[in-house]
Amino acid sequence: MDRLFINLNLVTMQTSLSNPSDGYQVINNAMIGVTNGIIEYVGPACSDVFHGHPDVIDCGHALVTPGLIDCHTHLIFAGNRANEFELRLKGVPYEEIAKQGGGILSTVYATREATEDELYHLAVQRLEGLKRDGVTTVEIKSGYGLTLDDEIKMLNVAKRIATLPDMKVSTTLLAAHALPPEYHNRSDDYITLICDTMIPTVAEKKLADHIDVFCEGIGFSIEQCQRVFHAALKHGLGIKGHTEQLSNLGGSALAASMGANSVDHIEYLDEDGVKSLAQHNTVATLLPGAFYFLRETQLPPITLLRKHSVPMAISTDFNPGTSPIASLRVIMNMACTLFKLTPEESLRGVTCNAASALGLQHSRGKIDVGMEADFALWQLNSPAELSYRLGVPDLIARVVDGVLFHEN
Ligand code: NIG
Ligand code: FE
């Protein structure tokens, strides 16, 4: 054993979803032993587990949770859309701005102009907000390039972020985010480009773990999303979708039936859709930041998700148009206040269920023997406080692969 963290008030998130009444099961005066970045012991303080000559790190009774996982972000882009924010506040709807060539496309123009270095520095600054909230794994999507080279440019930036010692990155190709202007009135041709060129190239270069789509009136149709999913699966990539955000097209059920790890947004999902998530073990990722920022009123079907035991993840959806919010704890609070999740569901949503949304449930999202040693140390008394208070720098440190990273 090479490192031993002692004096922890530990929340492992090992309790099962099927028995939510388990509660947090905080273990006071606990220890975690780590060997080569993997957890070897977790449980009550116990001298028997001392073997070898581990570094002993006294955590002074900090509350310890799994490192938080932000499982849906658009962290990489240039420019901003404060002008559209002002327009929307004057009453112009998000979909109307998109139809007039603003929205996602305005970020596409800015991102195409930017170099990899510029995009990297912008993203790393945004990442600081997530780190302050205890995030140790972040998912990052492309989707503001929409040409082969510009999508690869974005994914290269994500891979460069993945080399940081204190952050793990899961990458997603979201070429089917919006129709690029060059393909005006030829959306099927653009889908062909995605399926026949972008996905094979990105798979060959190992630049993406998942393929994502925006299945929506202002995005792509069910048939087009199905083609993209087929191509992704053929090349061994995972699938996920932006589905049922603004209307109910059936994208969630399609994605689930094809084996998606998650479907995201889902404000307009109906009970049949919820049932198909349950049937196919697909995670429902809720994005309260976008709901809040777009001043939506259609709530996601939380009661139905609970009724059918669908695991719920929550995420920032950090992006310039619908959720410029680089704080996962603000999102945890919104999940409780806007969607009425319990603080326990909210914590599950950024740990074990967020790991499942990325297909990483066997290595991250819980503190357990054999899992990667990623955790967050908090100056808090109870786990509910994570969702409760905003803006206080409660994080003491993050541990990534057993290595301690102190916050400033
Ligand atoms: O998750 N729904 C589509 N994509 C993003 C918004 C992207 C943008 O407006 O730039 C989302 O909300
Ligand atoms: Fe998104």
Side-chain angles (χ1 to χ4, degrees), residues 72 74 81 94 104 144 177 214 242 245 265 317 319 321-322:
H72 178 142
H74 308 250
R81 309 234 291 273
Y94 178 67
I104 294 172
Y144 293 120
H177 195 195
F214 186 23
H242 286 70
Q245 179 186 12
H265 287 288
D317 189 17
N319 78 70
T322 67

Side-chain angles (χ1 to χ4, degrees), residues 231-309:
L233 295 171
K234 195 171 117 193
H235 288 88
L237 298 169
I239 60 170
K240 48 177 61 245
H242 286 70
T243 52
E244 270 72 65
Q245 179 186 12
L246 308 167
S247 61
N248 185 355
L249 298 186
S252 304
L254 169 76
S257 72
M258 296 182 73
N261 287 121
S262 75
V263 292
D264 303 32
H265 287 288
I266 62 164
E267 277 84 344
Y268 285 82
L269 189 66
D270 60 20
E271 185 157 13
D272 283 343
V274 171
K275 282 183 187 161
S276 64
L277 304 195
Q279 189 188 341
H280 299 285
N281 281 322
T282 301
V283 174
T285 298
L286 309 173
L287 306 171
F291 174 91
Y292 158 83
F293 198 70
L294 292 179
R295 309 183 78 221
E296 290 286 349
T297 52
Q298 173 77 31
L299 285 159
I302 306 297
T303 308
L304 291 172
L305 292 167
R306 286 190 186 122
K307 176 178 159 195
H308 295 283
S309 302

Side-chain angles (χ1 to χ4, degrees), residues 102-120:
I104 294 172
L105 285 186
S106 67
T107 302
V108 170
Y109 298 128
T111 304
R112 285 179 177 179
E113 288 296 309
T115 64
E116 269 187 33
D117 265 357
E118 285 163 348
L119 292 173
Y120 174 78

Side-chain angles (χ1 to χ4, degrees), residues 127-145:
L127 202 59
E128 286 304 315
L130 299 182
K131 288 183 184 177
R132 271 201 294 273
D133 280 353
V135 172
T136 54
T137 294
V138 63
E139 184 261 12
I140 302 178
K141 301 177 195 296
S142 67
Y144 293 120

